[in-house]
Amino acid sequence: MTLENFRITHGKDFRLAEFAAGAKPISSGDKAADLARLDDICEKLDAMQDVFYAEHQRKLLVVLQGMDTAGKDGTVRSVFRTFDPLGIRVVAFKSPTPEELAHDYLWRVHAQVPRRGEIVVFNRSHYEDVLITRVHGWIDKAECERRYRQLRDFERMLTETGTTVVKCFLHISKEEQKARLEARLADPEKHWKFDTTDLAERKYWKEYMAAYEDAIAATSTPETPWYVVPADSKTHRNLMVAEILFAVFSAMKPAYPPAKPELAGLKVD
Amino acid sequence: MTLENFRITHGKDFRLAEFAAGAKPISSGDKAADLARLDDICEKLDAMQDVFYAEHQRKLLVVLQGMDTAGKDGTVRSVFRTFDPLGIRVVAFKSPTPEELAHDYLWRVHAQVPRRGEIVVFNRSHYEDVLITRVHGWIDKAECERRYRQLRDFERMLTETGTTVVKCFLHISKEEQKARLEARLADPEKHWKFDTTDLAERKYWKEYMAAYEDAIAATSTPETPWYVVPADSKTHRNLMVAEILFAVFSAMKPAYPPAKPELAGLKVD
């Protein structure tokens, strides 16, 4: 199991270029076996979430980031569908509204963090505020550094108040994005997913990779690690995210609340 | 198919006593066949939700009401898990907070209605405000009648602005509740679900049935019908809720947004 090699717990010497988007470090090499393994983990995750929800003490926040077409939606659909809808909530952050822009950039994010017993998935997140903003020069270097610190502080507070924070960078190659965008163009039923600004953003690929590298390096801690998930293969991506969740849940050891002795002998009339 | 017999579209002559909680009107009589049919419908629902989400025009609100142990959570877990978490949200309404109580009773409810392309499930709802409140005499008859009208007006506004409203009363018998409460008492891992106030509320069973009958009668319209779902059998309950959703989605005929001709010939560099 090589999951640790993809868990970034401190930024020193982090180089995104050392991670191949097309790699399949978690794969058995056999797709059918990988899919069976995914089913198996998802079944275990389902059982663990049951207990996590019943425990009603801790919170789990999963951040999904990645370039357009990296598979954020697909990961939600394939992996997070495992969970009982009662205990999971997906928040997709879009361009901020005027009301949101009138507040600090963490305001809308903080409003959506998980409650006790809840899993929340951020489909895009507060990291957009050090990615697109930096790539387009809407914030300068000093402000970007300040935000890295603010993000660390914010996430530290969350962990200190009972939230496990897991951050996944779905890592695809520029070539794979090309193939996926072309597939969307070719299929009229997928046109609704296509935004021509995606093509414009694609021109900044190098700048985005640099922004991701710096953001991951600046905000990875042992308590709030980033995982680099090679995501050119969808099966591998799903399997790795599921394995990450399984490792996280296993470490949390959720437990049913203690039985209530006062219920012993109660009669239902 | 007898679904129509359980769809209440006007309150005249509605008598809850005419509906047996232990009936299985949708069942084939064979449990394995029922479960296979449920799987089959869920697969279709999944495909339909995909299109509904992509269409991004209309909204779907499902209200689940029922006595304690009637299976609101179980229905979410078994039927609504079908859906992609991106497009579904479950809202469990608990005892109102001081902030919520400082507003009108529909304030917190309105804040949670679905957005375009979204399915929202209310696990309990604004109907608590004409049920528990009435049973315990916190509102008088005149106020209760006023609220029935307010609920009709509120739901009419929702339907007029693009929301399909589906209301399901999960109908269990007092005997079945007894068995389920006893099962919770007998299993220490289920004690967290047990609230001794459940036993207190159970004493008002007759009053609750009268309150449900009047609420359903007063708020059923062709646009915002109630369904009475016989729910002593969990398999039957799940199957019937799935059938209702299937009928609702089929009538809505969701469609992919039109292809965008301006995308033709676009090159991905």
Side-chain angles (χ1 to χ4, degrees), chain A residues 60-104:
Chain A
L60 178 59
L61 174 61
V62 182
V63 171
L64 295 181
Q65 282 286 161
M67 299 294 287
D68 288 321
T69 77
K72 299 179 289 296
D73 289 7
T75 303
V76 168
R77 191 172 166 76
S78 303
V79 181
F80 290 92
R81 186 208 297 256
T82 298
F83 299 114
D84 185 336
L86 271 182
I88 187 169
R89 190 159 48 88
V90 180
V91 184
F93 288 101
K94 310 279 183 191
S95 296
T97 65
E99 177 71 14
E100 290 168 348
L101 283 172
H103 292 83
D104 69 85

Side-chain angles (χ1 to χ4, degrees), chain A residues 44-56:
Chain A
K44 291 196 179 97
L45 286 175
D46 176 27
M48 291 166 113
Q49 184 213 5
D50 242 28
V51 188
F52 179 74
Y53 179 81
E55 182 189 84
H56 197 66

Side-chain angles (χ1 to χ4, degrees), chain B residues 95-109 129 147:
Chain B
S95 294
T97 64
E99 176 71 14
E100 288 168 350
L101 283 172
H103 292 82
D104 68 85
Y105 69 96
L106 287 172
W107 178 74
R108 66 174 185 160
V109 175
D129 295 295
R147 289 191 182 188

